Each structure stands twice: as structure tokens, then as C-alpha cells.
Amino acid sequence: MVFIGDGAFQMTGQELGAFARAGVHPVIFVLNNDGYLIERLIHDGPYNDIARWAYHRLPEALGAGLGLLARTEGELEDALDLANRRSDSLVLIEIQVDRMDSTPTLARVAGNFRTLSNK
Ligand SMILES: Cc1ncc(C[n+]2csc(CCOP(=O)(O)OP(=O)(O)O)c2C)c(N)n1
Ligand SMILES: [Mg+2]
């Protein structure tokens, strides 16, 4: 299983092709919050925006397996069910969340960095 942000995926996503060549079948969760949230929480600006890729369509384009889109909890449950039944294939699940969704821990840590960088 692989968990990756949309920003990090834009630097490494071509490796889907290598997975296909190696014949391995990970389940890949792409957490799509429309940019670099960790940086937005510290200091926001247009440099935290990234291109809006259709991540769930990339496995098909790269001949690498199945891509699914989850925009709600129900869609995520359906995608997990399908991934469970498709262990013979790479499955990429794009999970769309709100732009500023964050765990309390991340918000606290980033807030401390923000305070330090404003001193
Ligand atoms: C090779 C490389 N380039 C740049 C960075 C700087 N960097 C750290 S976090 C980050 C953005 C991460 O965005 P995303 O993967 O979407 O995660 P999010 O914070 O949105 O959950 C970047 C560019 C890095 N860590 N490694
Ligand atoms: Mg992101």
C-alpha cells in the first residue's frame, strides 16, 4: 500500500509505468487536496498551487491497472471493496478532500513553524 499527496505524486507518478513493467500490484492512495497543504499552512501563495491532474485516469493511460475516484466516504468504501476484489491488478484510488483539510496535529505543528518564521 502506498499513501501519497498530489504534490509528491506529480514528481513520482510516472513510476506507475515501472510498477506495470515489474508486474507488482500495489494499492495507491493519492490524497488530492489541490496543492501543497503543508506549505499553505506555513506560508501560502500561488507557488503552492499545482496543475489539476485527473490522477484516477493515469493508470489507464500508462497501462498500469485500475484507477478509481473517491469524492465521498461512500465512494471510498466502494473503491476499497473493489480494490479488495482486484488483488491481481494495481489499483490507484484518488481521494479528493477539501483544500485546507488537515489533522489537528499538522495544523498545530505548521502553526508553530508559521509563528517562528514570522519572528
Ligand atoms: C524532491 C523534493 N522536492 C521538493 C520538496 C519540498 N516539499 C516538501 S512538502 C511539499 C509539498 C507536498 O505536497 P503534497 O504531496 O500534495 O502533500 P500535502 O501537504 O498537500 O498533503 C514539497 C514540494 C521535497 N520534499 N522533495
Ligand atoms: Mg497536496
Side-chain angles (χ1 to χ4, degrees):
M1 273 193 280
V2 178
F3 294 87
I4 185 165
D6 52 342
F9 187 87
Q10 289 206 6
M11 296 178 155
T12 57
Q14 77 280 4
E15 292 302 313
L16 288 180
F19 285 140
R21 190 169 63 85
V24 292
H25 303 135
V27 180
I28 302 172
F29 298 89
V30 179
L31 199 59
N32 179 2
N33 54 11
D34 195 25
Y36 297 167
L37 177 65
I38 181 75
E39 305 289 347
R40 282 194 210 291
L41 291 171
I42 299 170
H43 191 273
D44 203 6
Y47 38 78
N48 295 326
D49 298 336
I50 59 176
R52 290 187 172 145
W53 291 9
Y55 300 96
H56 63 287
R57 296 175 64 187
L58 291 173
E60 188 188 353
L62 295 169
L66 182 65
L68 303 168
L69 176 60
R71 293 160 298 186
T72 62
E73 284 187 30
E75 286 181 356
L76 180 57
E77 280 171 14
D78 292 346
L80 292 173
D81 274 350
L82 195 51
N84 244 339
R85 284 184 273 118
R86 292 295 305 273
S87 55
D88 58 333
S89 165
L90 177 150
V91 180
L92 181 151
I93 303 175
E94 173 184 351
I95 303 173
Q96 291 183 353
V97 297
D98 284 345
R99 214 162 189 258
M100 297 305 285
D101 252 9
S102 144
T103 62
T105 304
L106 177 61
R108 181 170 49 79
V109 172
N112 289 339
F113 277 115
R114 192 170 58 236
T115 307
L116 282 173
S117 67
N118 287 336
K119 273 191 178 152

